[in-house]
Amino acid sequence: MAPAGCKILDIKDLTVEVEGKEIITDLNLCIERGEVHVLFGPNGCGKTTLLMTILGFPAYKVKKGRILFKDVDITDLPTNERVKQGMGMSFQHPPEIRGVKLGDMVNIAMGRKEGKIDERVVELGKMLNIPVEFLNRDVNLGFSGGEVKRSEILQLLAQTPDFLMFDEPDSGVDVENIELIGDLMNELLGREKIPSKRERSGLIITHSGFIMRYIKPDRAHVMLNGRIACSGIPDEVARHIIEEGFERCVKVCGEKVCAE
Amino acid sequence: MSQEISERAQRAKAKKALLGEDVDIERYTTETNEYGPLTSLGEISKEYEQDLLNAGIEPTEKERSGSFLQRDRSVIFSRVKYPGLELMSTTEAIKKYDWLKDYLWKLIPVDMDKYTAEVELAPSHGYFIRAEAGSKVTMPVQSCLFITSEKIRQNVHNIAIAEENSELHIITGCSVSHTVNSALHLGISEFYVKKGAKITFTMVHNWSGGMEVRPRSAVAIEDDGVFISNYILVTPVKSLQMFPTMYCRGRNARATSQSIVYALDNARIDLGSRAVLQGEGSRAEIISRVIATDNAKVIARGDLIGAAKHVKGHLECRGLMLSDTAEVESIPELKATRRDLDLSHEAAVGKIAEEEIQYLMSRGLSEEEATSVIIRGFLNVDITGLPDALANETKRMFDMSLKKVM
Ligand SMILES: Nc1ncnc2c1ncn2[C@@H]1O[C@H](COP(=O)(O)OP(=O)(O)OP(=O)(O)O)[C@@H](O)[C@H]1O
Ligand SMILES: [Mg+2]
């Protein structure tokens, strides 16, 4: 176990409301530096809500609890301040912005104020099989499901945060591209290093668990009705969910793991 | 001028326009200083240089095929640097060419309203630009109509003719000096795109809070002709109303109009574009982007009339509201008079979406930076159909105008 104080993210007793409705209740989650966690849970249980709250989107109102990031309380910071501290996210449903090109987003993510789609941007695009014409398209406007995923990873690649959140990076992505995305996620998270040397951390939402063929997370959590219902070893948790469903999995691993 | 035309103008002297609030022409004077000619554009006094630059005019005349400058009611500069191109004041052209009468008041009725009548009865020049048949003038001609005196009327009549298979690119800047509080600009523009010819027309309006502006413009496009208009207004203006019409008369005539308006302060703007598709297979696209802030009120109109076989027209009007005291009214109209054609429109008015701001903030921008990126994006229409250099130039003008806004 890593010593105390090297937590990158520490969420304590978090309760979150969206549009006046409580979505997350008394949630606790802790991620150590260098670790990658995976988050499972049925549709609508609050996974995206949790990520948006960590990122500080104002529609997600923290009613109770604190979020510590690198030992600093960020609960009341605006999103861009949090991003400055080193977090980044690949969105499940990013908005379209007319007149703002994907290439512009890459420049922005790199911290360039005004930028052309230059060699550096094109080079990054190539890493995701994204051609120049695509960099010139308005961001997310008419992007296919798989294109959205690649565009999001591209922006993270430009941003290089040290805590990365991925909201369903594997949904709707074809076999070839999932391998590409998986490899890049490994690279972004510095997974090639031995565990004690890993600096980057991550939190990945996945339904299928496909992405786990490429990236081996350290821990898995199952979310039910706005709470972490159980946590455990990723492959085991995934197997239980696939074979027995969420409820049953929580029951089984609840006995084995969460009691520890 | 023919007797008949001036009589019609006389009778329309008090005729109010259909659109826009009524302007009291008599508040403005036709008595102004006359200014002597310049030998180069660069000679314009330093004091005015920025006012010209703001209207997209290049004082060095670099990369321009010709330059024209009218100050108040005097034409003070006109130079052509390109064979196959003619450029002079309309007054001079009328003297020189008897045939010009076939082009004056042929697209716009002289008795349309009191403003057209006024320009006929008390004209103060304007420009005449003509590309000879077959000549491709790829470098733009620049013309500037500049107001430097208080309370004047500037009544210009502009004519542009692209003869068969020629190409003409016009950059027009209408500008008012920062030293002037109020004035009236009336501008008649009649453009002719002959068979297989092309005109691109980029117009920057650089007005100020006391300006009243009533342009009246129309374009006739013959077989396979192309007309592209880009219009930019990002400065304050007291009152502006215009509704230029593009007549696609010939087979496969093409017309495109793109307008970018940033309305601020107490501006009253009523702005539209109309395309009349009369030639078989002709096409028109009308795009407008309007941002309204402060107490500005904008009416954004679009009108497509389909009256021939296989014509196609599309209207797109988007408005962005930055204040609760501003107003945008979008009025798209489609009229079809037969069945084998296709007309469509989309219109949307709204505020900046919070989630777009948040998305940009999640990539590291502050809220203000994110807002400005979204506004720039909103106004960023793709400019197609211009030669590369001119496209870059136009882009630069957009950017410069936008920088002033942000
Ligand atoms: N802006 C909103 N307004 C109203 N309800 C919302 C809003 N955002 C989220 N919710 C609700 O909160 C709940 C949790 O949504 P969330 O997006 O976090 O689920 P999720 O676990 O990510 O689901 P999925 O697996 O389908 O992506 C859902 O019931 C959703 O409808
Ligand atoms: Mg979700």
Side-chain angles (χ1 to χ4, degrees):
Chain A
M1 271 289 132
C6 64
K7 295 185 181 77
I8 190 142
L9 184 75
D10 193 0
I11 298 177
K12 298 176 174 166
D13 287 328
L14 185 72
T15 297
V16 179
E17 267 184 27
V18 183
E19 303 267 331
K21 194 176 134 204
E22 191 170 300
I23 307 289
I24 291 179
T25 310
D26 293 330
L27 181 140
N28 288 285
L29 176 69
C30 169
I31 299 177
E32 306 282 342
R33 189 180 296 273
E35 282 184 0
V36 171
H37 291 201
V38 61
L39 186 61
F40 293 103
N43 293 135
C45 72
K47 302 181 298 297
T48 297
T49 302
L50 176 62
L51 263 53
M52 295 298 212
T53 310
I54 296 171
L55 202 52
F57 276 33
Y60 301 82
K61 302 251 180 315
V62 174
K63 287 290 153 183
K64 196 162 79 69
R66 308 309 297 171
I67 303 171
L68 304 186
F69 182 60
K70 298 180 180 174
D71 296 325
V72 177
D73 188 335
I74 57 160
T75 321
D76 302 315
L77 287 186
T79 298
N80 58 321
E81 294 297 329
R82 299 181 195 211
V83 169
K84 262 192 215 147
Q85 309 290 323
M87 62 168 74
M89 161 118 143
S90 154
F91 290 82
Q92 182 182 12
H93 300 297
E96 302 168 346
I97 312 182
R98 271 174 199 280
V100 178
K101 301 177 165 110
L102 173 56
D104 298 333
M105 294 300 294
V106 173
N107 275 317
I108 288 167
M110 282 195 281
R112 298 164 161 186
K113 288 283 174 236
E114 233 172 295
K116 293 211 170 16
I117 298 177
D118 62 6
E119 270 172 44
R120 176 85 187 110
V121 179
V122 172
E123 204 178 292
L124 287 173
K126 272 196 196 134
M127 292 175 71
L128 278 140
N129 259 339
I130 293 179
V132 182
E133 306 84 76
F134 202 86
L135 293 169
N136 273 302
R137 277 176 59 179
D138 288 357
V139 70
N140 301 322
L141 199 76
F143 285 15
S144 75
E147 285 167 349
V148 166
K149 303 299 170 194
R150 278 188 285 146
S151 139
E152 287 296 306
I153 306 278
L154 170 63
Q155 293 173 56
L156 276 187
L157 206 59
Q159 201 176 335
T160 57
D162 40 32
F163 174 61
L164 298 96
M165 295 179 277
F166 299 89
D167 198 344
E168 300 193 22
D170 48 1
S171 300
V173 181
D174 65 39
V175 257
E176 269 170 42
N177 279 307
I178 203 160
E179 188 173 345
L180 184 79
I181 285 176
D183 289 347
L184 283 171
M185 283 173 67
N186 270 319
E187 201 178 312
L188 273 168
L189 289 162
R191 300 301 279 178
E192 73 285 355
K193 295 190 180 131
I194 55 163
S196 66
K197 292 267 191 281
R198 289 175 188 164
E199 295 286 325
R200 303 256 178 90
S201 322
L203 180 56
I204 305 170
I205 298 177
T206 176
H207 280 293
S208 61
F210 280 155
I211 200 66
M212 287 164 59
R213 291 187 197 161
Y214 304 94
I215 182 158
K216 296 291 163 206
D218 301 292
R219 203 162 168 74
H221 309 277
V222 180
M223 200 166 172
L224 274 184
N225 300 321
R227 295 170 199 261
I228 302 283
C230 80
S231 304
I233 296 159
D235 284 338
E236 274 183 36
V237 172
R239 187 167 48 81
H240 280 300
I241 292 171
I242 290 159
E243 288 170 9
E244 299 148 48
F246 287 110
E247 302 277 346
R248 176 93 190 111
C249 158
V250 167
K251 240 182 134 207
V252 173
C253 42
E255 286 151 13
K256 281 204 300 200
V257 187
C258 293
E260 76 185 351
Chain B
M1 272 295 97
S2 96
Q3 187 87 30
E4 185 247 337
I5 286 183
S6 31
E7 277 168 14
R8 278 169 60 202
Q10 279 295 346
R11 285 196 297 272
K13 265 182 89 166
K15 184 175 170 189
K16 288 188 180 166
L18 283 175
L19 305 173
E21 63 271 22
D22 191 49
V23 175
D24 180 5
I25 296 178
E26 298 306 322
R27 281 186 58 218
Y28 302 96
T29 176
T30 51
E31 273 156 43
T32 51
N33 289 335
E34 284 291 324
Y35 303 97
L38 303 178
T39 53
S40 81
L41 263 194
E43 265 174 37
I44 188 98
S45 108
K46 274 273 166 284
E47 172 186 20
Y48 296 134
E49 205 175 81
Q50 194 58 44
D51 299 322
L52 296 195
L53 284 168
N54 287 348
I57 298 301
E58 181 54 65
T60 63
E61 300 172 55
K62 236 193 290 170
E63 290 174 14
R64 296 291 187 266
S65 57
S67 298
F68 177 93
L69 174 61
Q70 173 166 348
R71 177 172 179 190
D72 296 341
R73 298 173 67 92
S74 316
V75 173
I76 59 172
F77 188 74
S78 176
R79 168 152 65 197
V80 212
K81 298 197 296 190
Y82 202 94
L85 174 71
E86 280 189 282
L87 174 63
M88 64 192 87
S89 78
T90 309
T91 321
E92 201 180 321
I94 290 171
K95 281 189 207 132
K96 188 167 175 186
Y97 295 126
D98 188 46
W99 50 257
L100 201 61
K101 62 180 187 313
D102 300 332
Y103 293 81
L104 291 162
W105 301 117
K106 292 300 177 213
L107 299 177
I108 300 164
V110 66
D111 51 6
M112 181 172 158
D113 54 36
K114 62 196 237 188
Y115 312 114
T116 54
E118 164 69 16
V119 174
E120 169 60 22
L121 297 171
S124 53
H125 312 296
Y127 55 79
F128 168 83
I129 302 174
R130 178 172 168 267
E132 288 170 9
S135 66
K136 312 265 185 218
V137 188
T138 49
M139 254 196 273
V141 190
Q142 62 179 358
S143 90
C144 181
L145 303 165
F146 189 32
I147 292 178
T148 63
S149 304
E150 198 57 34
K151 285 253 180 292
I152 65 155
R153 298 179 207 172
Q154 192 181 51
N155 301 343
V156 298
H157 195 151
N158 308 312
I159 301 282
I161 303 169
E163 299 288 358
E164 289 190 10
N165 300 312
S166 69
E167 190 174 322
L168 189 55
H169 303 278
I170 303 171
I171 295 177
T172 288
C174 298
S175 193
V176 61
S177 159
H178 57 283
T179 59
V180 172
N181 287 316
S182 79
L184 172 67
H185 172 88
L186 301 177
I188 309 299
S189 299
E190 296 180 282
F191 285 16
Y192 296 84
V193 182
K194 302 278 181 79
K195 277 185 190 163
K198 175 175 184 175
I199 292 184
T200 74
F201 180 64
T202 302
M203 178 155 77
V204 180
H205 271 175
N206 180 50
W207 302 124
S208 61
M211 283 295 304
E212 298 196 90
V213 183
R214 291 292 181 276
R216 297 288 176 257
S217 315
V219 189
I221 310 156
E222 295 183 3
D223 292 359
D224 302 309
V226 176
F227 177 76
I228 297 171
S229 147
N230 293 299
Y231 173 70
I232 308 169
L233 169 67
V234 296
T235 53
V237 64
K238 182 178 173 201
S239 160
L240 180 146
Q241 185 272 318
M242 65 187 204
F243 204 170
T245 301
M246 306 180 285
Y247 297 96
C248 291
R249 288 186 175 163
R251 283 174 75 95
N252 299 320
R254 299 267 182 282
T256 305
S257 152
Q258 308 192 110
S259 313
I260 287 178
V261 174
Y262 188 97
L264 65 166
D265 292 350
N266 294 303
R268 294 292 173 271
I269 296 170
D270 185 330
L271 180 107
S273 266
R274 176 183 290 124
V276 185
L277 297 160
Q278 300 160 312
E280 189 181 323
S282 59
R283 273 154 207 254
E285 190 176 31
I286 295 172
I287 296 170
S288 78
R289 298 274 188 277
V290 174
I291 292 187
T293 186
D294 304 331
N295 302 309
K297 290 196 168 43
V298 182
I299 301 178
R301 299 176 194 273
D303 188 13
L304 284 175
I305 299 166
K309 234 208 261 192
H310 305 317
V311 301
K312 206 174 151 98
H314 184 65
L315 269 179
E316 183 189 306
C317 172
R318 290 180 190 279
L320 189 63
M321 306 295 296
L322 299 184
S323 117
D324 289 329
T325 47
E327 237 179 73
V328 171
E329 187 179 350
S330 170
I331 310 180
E333 289 179 83
L334 306 178
K335 181 179 173 192
T337 60
R338 50 187 300 148
R339 64 191 158 79
D340 42 7
L341 50 71
D342 180 10
L343 304 178
S344 59
H345 78 71
E346 44 182 318
V349 180
K351 64 175 172 57
I352 294 184
E354 194 58 38
E355 58 164 357
E356 293 177 20
I357 294 181
Q358 284 298 313
Y359 185 51
L360 285 163
M361 286 176 75
S362 82
R363 301 292 179 231
L365 296 187
S366 69
E367 191 171 346
E368 297 75 53
E369 289 166 336
T371 307
S372 119
V373 165
I374 293 168
I375 292 178
R376 276 165 162 277
F378 177 83
L379 294 179
N380 184 6
V381 296
D382 264 334
I383 308 155
T384 47
L386 303 188
D388 275 355
L390 184 56
N392 290 338
E393 177 79 18
T394 312
K395 191 113 191 80
R396 196 187 57 78
M397 286 192 308
F398 279 125
D399 283 349
M400 184 190 68
S401 302
L402 288 178
K403 275 213 186 84
K404 268 189 301 179
V405 171
M406 305 303 177

